[in-house]
Amino acid sequence: MKLIALIMVLMIAVLSLITTITPGSQQYNKPNPVAEIGKEFAKPLSQVDQIGPELEKVLDGAGVKLPTINVGGSKTVKQDLTHVAQDFTGQVFSNQDLPKSNFASSYLSKAQFNEALLDGASLEGATGDTVNFKGARMAKSNLNAAMFVNSDFSGAELRESKARAGDFSGAQFVDADLSFASFAGANLSKSDFRAAYAAGASFYGANAGEAKFTGADLTGVRFVNASLSKATFAGANVKAANFTGAKIHGADLSAAVNLTTEQLASACASPETKLPEGVTAPRC
């Protein structure tokens, strides 16, 4: 960018010189209009070093990347596709170190990942029934659109993981760390979250019908537009949890901790919904 600007300045300077010294020119002793244009044009170009980086920031924000020149050749980064779209039915990965591994779209029924290190791993679109993730470390992992029905995540660390639009019906999350994880739009029916630490997690639009949240820490959890029909919350800490638009038909919140009427003002209860004494919710 700077090179182009300098070329333009040079061209204007040459044209200015020609129109000024050409013999017989009627403008010889008067201000040269081309030179004046050159002066004005050069002012912003003196700041081209500042303009370039700012322009690059704007393009980056819009998802547009400026081309870069690699001196001495470019390096091709090879993606590890060893575990992608493979059939690992019944295979054992217990206690293995597999951080940032990629199991996307693989078949994992009855596979064993207990106590495995899977931080940052991708299991997007993976499918498996009764998969064992018990005690696995899976912080910031990607389980979007995964289907792990009746699978065991008990004691697993899923902090900041993404499990949007997945199917985890009947899964075990007992004593798991789900803090700031996202289960938005996921099927969690009949799943077990007893004693789970889920502070700041998102269950936006999820189906958690008949799920067990007994003794779970649900501080600041977003149950916005979630289905919580017949879910149980005995001893669960729901301080600052957001139930806007949540369907709590037949849910048992009678022993929930820190639940207020204000939290349920935009929820949808039924005659079968159980609430703590003094706490109310609209029926719809």
Side-chain angles (χ1 to χ4, degrees), residues 64 120 151 164 217 264:
V64 179
S151 295
R164 303 186 186 101
D217 188 341
L264 301 178

Side-chain angles (χ1 to χ4, degrees), residues 96-263:
Q96 292 189 25
D97 290 341
L98 298 165
K100 298 183 178 180
S101 55
N102 191 347
F103 285 88
S105 301
S106 287
Y107 296 96
L108 304 171
S109 289
K110 296 181 174 60
Q112 304 295 311
F113 289 92
N114 50 301
E115 306 297 334
L117 176 59
L118 294 164
D119 288 345
S122 174
L123 293 102
E124 186 172 16
T127 304
D129 185 80
T130 61
V131 186
N132 183 4
F133 290 102
K134 191 172 183 178
R137 286 182 52 187
M138 306 176 69
K140 298 183 178 181
S141 57
N142 179 0
L143 292 93
N144 289 333
M147 300 178 67
F148 291 132
V149 177
N150 299 319
S151 295
D152 193 351
F153 293 88
S154 298
E157 182 184 343
L158 289 156
R159 175 176 46 85
E160 297 182 62
S161 292
K162 308 299 181 185
R164 303 186 186 101
D167 188 352
F168 303 92
S169 53
Q172 302 288 315
F173 293 95
V174 179
D175 201 35
D177 182 354
L178 309 174
S179 54
F180 301 99
S182 176
F183 289 91
N187 182 6
L188 303 166
S189 61
K190 298 183 179 181
S191 291
D192 193 343
F193 294 90
R194 286 177 297 162
Y197 178 65
S202 173
F203 292 85
Y204 188 103
N207 174 17
E210 299 184 60
K212 298 176 182 178
F213 292 98
T214 304
D217 188 341
L218 305 174
T219 304
V221 165
R222 287 164 288 170
F223 285 115
V224 178
N225 296 333
S227 175
L228 301 170
S229 299
K230 298 182 180 181
T232 56
F233 292 83
N237 182 8
V238 294
K239 183 177 182 180
N242 188 343
F243 289 91
T244 301
K247 296 177 177 63
I248 55 175
H249 299 163
D252 188 353
L253 292 138
S254 59
V257 180
N258 295 317
L259 182 65
T260 67
T261 297
E262 289 73 22
Q263 286 174 277

